Amino acid sequence: MARPKIPRKSTSVDMTAMCDVAFLLLSFFILTTKFKPSEAVPVETPNSVAAKIAPEKDVVMISLNKDGKVFLSTGDNTSDKQKKHDIIASVNESRGLGLSTTDIDALVKAPFIGVPLAQLSQQARLKTEQMTALTLPGIPCKDTANNEMIDWMRAVSDAYQGTKVNLLLKGDNVAKYPSFKNVLTAFKKNKLFKFQMVTNPESVPQGTELWKANMSGKAREE
């Protein structure tokens, strides 16, 4: 007697729900992704194994690019912008620059200060996209006879008097030492002895004391 033939069932799976989820996720990432803006002052920092994260408040950053140009910037929050206003107003008064209120407000909105004191009013009239490391000469800081960073650091010290300032020094990997030295001289002359170097983090070499401390959960703060 012949065996009855069992009909084959379809193995198709309804993919509609999975496609809906995939497109929802794709839409979410497209709408929420923010691309990192290009840096106005490109600086290739040296590598280090330091794990400490740079502060984001009460920040004054000195950037030194590969050509030895020096730029000064602050944080983006409201209190940092107010401090930046105080710093510029202090320099304007001490050096008799004659900047108007409009000039000072424009410089506060600028991403950084990057010209000699005598040219601050010209920088105030530039658009943000015109302020780059290529178009601006930087703050004079190439020798002890013409080191305007001393004036800027004096204004920083006055603006943050009685409060903590997170002073960051971001130097390019190929910048010459004399440029660093003149920036440090400006710090010392204003008794700003505590600052942090901005570096490019890399993994800790295995087998070192720091690696052992990290593995045991006893990593110290740099």
Side-chain angles (χ1 to χ4, degrees), residues 69-71 113-116 133 136-141 148:
K69 293 182 180 180
V70 180
F71 304 89
I113 303 296
V115 295
L136 299 185
I139 299 172
C141 187
E148 293 187 356

Side-chain angles (χ1 to χ4, degrees), residues 194-210:
K194 190 173 182 180
F195 63 92
Q196 300 175 51
M197 294 288 296
V198 178
T199 56
N200 185 30
E202 64 178 7
S203 59
V204 180
Q206 291 189 10
T208 61
E209 292 299 322
L210 182 57

Side-chain angles (χ1 to χ4, degrees), residues 64-138:
L64 178 63
N65 74 357
K66 62 180 181 180
D67 299 321
K69 293 182 180 180
V70 180
F71 304 89
L72 183 147
S73 59
T74 65
D76 292 327
N77 59 53
T78 304
S79 62
D80 281 335
K81 290 295 184 185
Q82 181 58 49
K83 292 293 186 185
K84 187 177 182 182
H85 180 279
D86 296 343
I87 292 168
I88 297 171
S90 177
V91 170
N92 182 40
E93 182 179 355
S94 64
R95 295 296 298 265
L97 302 177
L99 296 175
S100 65
T101 303
T102 305
D103 290 338
I104 295 176
D105 290 342
L107 290 170
V108 171
K109 295 177 182 176
F112 54 81
I113 303 296
V115 295
L117 294 174
Q119 299 178 19
L120 280 175
S121 58
Q122 287 94 320
Q123 182 180 347
R125 290 168 176 76
L126 293 176
K127 296 178 180 178
T128 300
E129 57 269 22
Q130 295 175 309
M131 301 180 196
T132 68
L134 294 176
T135 58
L136 299 185

Side-chain angles (χ1 to χ4, degrees), residues 46-61:
N47 296 335
S48 81
V49 297
K52 189 173 183 179
I53 300 174
E56 297 181 352
K57 187 179 179 184
D58 299 324
V59 171
V60 173
M61 178 183 287

